Amino acid sequence: MATSDPRTDEVWEEFHSAVNMSSEELRRWLLADASGEEAFPNDGGVDREGERIVEVLNKRRTDVTSDDIALMERVTEFVQEELERPRPEDDQWRRRMMRVGHDPLQPDSGPSDT
C-alpha cells in the first residue's frame, strides 16, 4: 500500500472540492464548448489545460505528479478567487469556470450573491 504525502492530500481535497464536475462531465463540456461558434482555443480543439484536468480527475491520489499538483493548485486558486467575487450576469463567466471543471449552477458551487 502506497503512503501519501500530507501536502498532496491537502491539495487533492481542495481540488476535488473546487472541481464539482466529474471527468466525464468536463470532457463532454470541453468537446461541446470547442465545437461552438466562440470555440476556445481558436484551432477548434479542446483546451489543453482542460484535458489535463480531466486526466487528473481520472487519476488515483497516489498517482499524481508534481505537475499535477501544480495544476490542481492553480485550478483551486482560480475557482476560489472567482467565487469570492460578485457573479457577473454574463454566460462567459460560467463558461470560464466550466472549462476548469467548476459548474457554478450546481448546488455545491460555493458562495452565491443571489
Side-chain angles (χ1 to χ4, degrees), residues 71-114:
L71 174 67
M72 291 190 295
E73 289 173 326
R74 277 194 319 276
V75 168
T76 300
E77 184 177 326
F78 172 78
V79 170
Q80 289 172 346
E81 287 175 357
E82 287 294 317
L83 290 176
E84 288 173 3
R85 297 182 183 140
R87 294 183 183 196
E89 297 295 323
D90 66 15
D91 188 50
Q92 293 301 316
W93 180 76
R94 180 174 184 236
R95 291 177 69 194
R96 267 194 326 274
M97 296 291 283
M98 289 183 70
R99 284 186 188 123
V100 298
H102 183 90
D103 183 351
L105 298 183
Q106 288 191 16
D108 63 346
S109 174
S112 175
D113 292 331
T114 57

Side-chain angles (χ1 to χ4, degrees), residues 1 7 17 27 30-31 35 37 43 63 71 76 78 82 86 88 90-91 93 102 104:
M1 181 174 184
R7 178 65 186 137
S17 272
R27 185 186 70 76
L30 293 169
L31 291 170
S35 67
E37 283 183 30
D43 64 6
D63 295 334
L71 174 67
T76 300
F78 172 78
E82 287 294 317
D90 66 15
D91 188 50
W93 180 76
H102 183 90

Side-chain angles (χ1 to χ4, degrees), residues 47-74:
D47 175 55
R48 179 63 190 133
E49 187 160 270
E51 286 180 352
R52 289 195 57 228
I53 294 167
V54 170
E55 291 168 5
V56 170
L57 287 170
N58 285 322
K59 287 187 174 190
R60 296 179 305 178
R61 185 184 315 219
T62 55
D63 295 334
V64 296
T65 66
S66 58
D67 287 343
D68 295 335
I69 298 281
L71 174 67
M72 291 190 295
E73 289 173 326
R74 277 194 319 276

